[in-house]
Amino acid sequence: EGLVPINDQGLSTIPGLYAAGDALGSYMSGGIYTQIGSSLAGSAVQGAIAGAAAANDSLAIQGKQDVSEQYLTLVNQQILAPLTRKRGYSPAWVTQVLQGVMIPNFVLYIKKERMMQAALAYVEELYEHHVPMLMADDLHALRLAHETENMIITAEMKLKASIMRKESRCSHYRLDCPDIDYENWQAWINIYKDDAGNMVLEKQPFKSWPNFS
């Protein structure tokens, strides 16, 4: 999980943005990621490589990047929106509902498409009709509101990727597709947003970098 790398120095598909460790989809732990501390050494090495590469690239940047006041105002309004709402849902309640959908073992661990589709419908409902109504009465609740929105988006990503991967592999186990599919699924799944803002999933074959320009 994390930003999709396009080279071995930690450069992501976001121009100029380098990442490492949990922030980078570097696949270094594979199916043993649940072992506590298993990725610490690899993350440290990645951080050193990505940091040096980012510092080197920054030397080529000429001047500062200008951001319009109009755009900054829009971003500010979006960040503070939950504080301005008089009616809506508390982040804690929406998070509790989300956990009730995602945590059951027949969704999270022993997967099958029928149950994942049902969970996805619930998660999409939360995103479409509850996220726009998240409200906060202080800065702590504001942080929780944005965290709740991010958890809902992440849940949608996990469900759609699990539905797309019609096989079982490592910690991804599907009761309706219990075997590894070496013919069709020697690939990662990358998720990105298209020009219309829709979530798009694509395969990236093992031992290859994603197409990016």
Side-chain angles (χ1 to χ4, degrees), residues 4-8 25-28 165 169 182 185-190 203-211:
V4 177
I6 64 172
N7 64 21
D8 58 2
S26 54
Y27 334 118
M28 64 184 169
R165 184 177 286 277
R169 184 184 294 264
Y182 291 106
W185 275 106
Q186 293 292 86
W188 310 108
I189 295 178
N190 294 334
K203 286 185 180 182
Q204 177 192 326
F206 293 158
K207 299 182 179 180
S208 70
W209 296 111
N211 293 322

Side-chain angles (χ1 to χ4, degrees), residues 71-125:
Y71 181 74
L72 291 175
T73 299
L74 176 62
V75 171
N76 191 60
Q77 290 174 346
Q78 292 173 338
I79 292 173
L80 299 178
L83 286 172
T84 66
R85 296 187 183 115
K86 304 302 181 182
R87 298 178 180 178
Y89 305 100
S90 73
W93 181 80
V94 177
T95 297
Q96 186 176 26
V97 173
L98 177 65
Q99 290 172 337
V101 173
M102 294 297 297
I103 288 178
N105 68 320
F106 49 80
V107 173
L108 192 61
Y109 295 114
I110 311 299
K111 307 172 187 176
K112 52 187 174 183
E113 185 157 346
R114 182 169 64 92
M115 296 308 300
M116 290 190 291
Q117 289 286 7
L120 178 60
Y122 216 130
V123 168
E124 289 175 336
E125 172 70 16

